[in-house]
Amino acid sequence: MNSVLLSPEIEELDREWEAIKEALGMFQPPPKLSVSEWAEERRVLSPESCPEPGKFYNDRAPYQKGVMDAFSDTEIEKVVGWFSAQSGKTTIFENVIGYFIDQDPSPMLIVQPILDIAKAFSKDRLTPMLRDTPCLQGKVGAGKAKDPNNTTLHKVFKGGHITMAGANSPASLAGRPIRILLKDEIDRYSLSAGTEGDPNKLADKRTTVFWNSKIGEFSTGTIRGLSRIEAAYEASDMRKFHVPCPNPECGEFQVLKWKQLKWQKDDKGKAIPEDAWYECEFCKAEITDIDKPQMLREGEWRAERQTKGIAGFWLNEL
């Protein structure tokens, strides 16, 4: 078969057209993804920080989805998470950070109770995520000692930066304006950052410049009546995660409560916890761990009241 040879003029026009298409592609807006969609599509979990490294799936902890998506909801200014320990709070933080680096570059501040924990978060959680998630590779500086723009506690990327701070360090809470503020374990913050006052409020002041700022406040609870996270949650729309009873004749949605946890007792009246089950508060059906994955997948966050711009999420260990 004879090949058709293009004239030099046509070949040159083709090259110019390809160059124009490539240039125009640079101005295309990023895809409209929520944080949970971004995580499912692009996030890779690192072996240093996860017992199941590899591709991220929302189905592993479906209750995290609503919390993550509150950060990409334009109607929400503050996200409050009153969580039990080991419920995926740090993973949510990581996904929010990755989302804003990749989709909506912004200046970010992550505040931990003390500076040493901030350094550990940077080394043990942030750095592995930046290394292992393909869309983030090469976007953030490697933290070389001779580069003042990229250190353990401060990393720069195109369109923004990430600063890690300790609530016990007034100097780390001062400085640049911040659009995305993530505060971890706020109930463990000191009452005052030196002589500067409440570190929780000091960090909030950093966001006042941005009309579209986002604040995330998360913690396990401490003492009722004195707890920062309790007060923050009570100022929110107070969402709780409701799951359906797996009994096809029931299906009623409910918040899991400790009083519904039941177990048998041995001949001496001692509880046998390994035989425990959960009793539906409506139909009294016995619910076991086998039912839990489906219940979580079909669960939903329900707000107890309306507030403007503050989404609050409460989750116990059940």
Side-chain angles (χ1 to χ4, degrees):
M1 181 181 293
N2 292 329
S3 61
V4 179
L5 298 177
L6 298 177
S7 67
E9 291 84 2
I10 294 176
E11 290 178 346
E12 180 63 26
L13 286 172
D14 281 345
R15 283 194 294 270
E16 290 178 359
W17 175 239
E18 289 300 322
I20 291 171
K21 287 196 294 183
E22 183 177 351
L24 290 173
M26 296 172 59
F27 297 97
Q28 294 296 317
K32 288 278 187 178
L33 297 174
S34 67
V35 176
S36 69
E37 289 170 341
W38 177 88
E40 179 107 355
E41 183 177 310
R42 303 186 179 184
R43 175 74 198 278
V44 174
L45 297 168
S46 304
E48 295 97 323
S49 58
C50 180
E52 298 179 51
K55 188 181 185 311
F56 178 89
Y57 293 100
N58 286 311
D59 276 354
R60 282 173 171 162
Y63 53 83
Q64 294 178 0
K65 184 175 182 293
V67 186
M68 290 189 287
D69 287 346
F71 283 95
S72 46
D73 186 334
T74 57
E75 300 296 318
I76 295 175
E77 300 171 4
K78 179 182 284 190
V79 183
V80 176
W82 187 2
F83 280 14
S84 64
Q86 300 299 314
S87 53
K89 170 172 51 67
T90 305
T91 299
I92 292 171
F93 271 28
E94 293 167 354
N95 288 341
V96 170
I97 293 168
Y99 170 86
F100 279 101
I101 293 173
D102 186 48
Q103 296 286 293
D104 191 6
S106 307
M108 291 183 266
L109 174 65
I110 294 89
V111 183
Q112 300 286 353
I114 61 175
L115 207 54
D116 284 348
I117 297 177
K119 292 176 182 177
F121 174 83
S122 176
K123 294 176 180 178
D124 301 338
R125 306 297 295 239
L126 180 59
T127 297
M129 178 181 73
L130 298 175
R131 179 198 68 208
D132 296 333
T133 299
C135 67
L136 301 179
Q137 291 171 356
K139 287 192 173 182
V140 181
K144 296 178 180 178
K146 294 183 180 180
D147 184 356
N149 290 321
N150 290 292
T151 64
T152 300
L153 294 174
H154 183 70
K155 299 182 183 296
V156 176
F157 53 90
K158 187 175 182 180
H161 60 82
I162 309 170
T163 300
M164 273 69 67
N168 64 332
S169 172
S172 68
L173 296 174
R176 304 172 180 85
I178 294 297
R179 181 186 165 212
I180 310 301
L181 171 61
L182 301 177
K183 297 182 289 184
D184 194 13
E185 292 298 343
I186 64 172
D187 269 17
R188 286 154 181 78
Y189 287 7
S190 56
L191 295 177
S192 179
T195 60
E196 302 297 322
D198 186 349
N200 198 41
K201 295 178 180 178
L202 285 175
D204 287 351
K205 289 180 180 179
R206 299 275 296 273
T207 67
T208 55
V209 172
F210 288 90
W211 64 270
N212 58 347
S213 63
K214 295 275 187 183
I215 297 176
E217 291 186 346
F218 285 71
S219 189
T220 50
T222 50
I223 303 172
R224 283 195 176 274
L226 299 176
S227 167
R228 284 189 176 103
I229 197 64
E230 179 188 25
Y233 178 75
E234 290 178 349
S236 74
D237 59 9
M238 300 177 67
R239 305 182 193 191
K240 290 184 177 178
F241 198 65
H242 291 67
V243 293
C245 172
N247 179 3
E249 297 179 1
C250 178
E252 290 286 344
F253 279 75
Q254 55 205 285
V255 177
L256 298 181
K257 302 179 179 71
W258 286 103
K259 68 178 183 179
Q260 297 302 120
L261 198 61
K262 311 293 182 180
W263 51 82
Q264 298 285 356
K265 294 182 179 180
D266 61 20
D267 296 338
K268 297 180 180 180
K270 186 178 179 181
I272 310 174
E274 58 267 25
D275 292 334
W277 71 92
Y278 190 89
E279 183 180 85
C280 172
E281 63 182 280
F282 295 98
C283 72
K284 309 304 179 184
E286 291 188 9
I287 302 171
T288 68
D289 277 346
I290 295 174
D291 303 305
K292 195 172 181 180
Q294 180 181 348
M295 294 169 68
L296 291 177
R297 284 195 298 271
E298 296 176 358
E300 57 189 48
W301 289 101
R302 295 181 179 179
E304 295 187 358
R305 63 193 187 94
Q306 296 295 319
T307 56
K308 185 178 180 181
I310 307 178
F313 300 87
W314 178 92
L315 198 72
N316 67 18
E317 196 166 354
L318 286 173

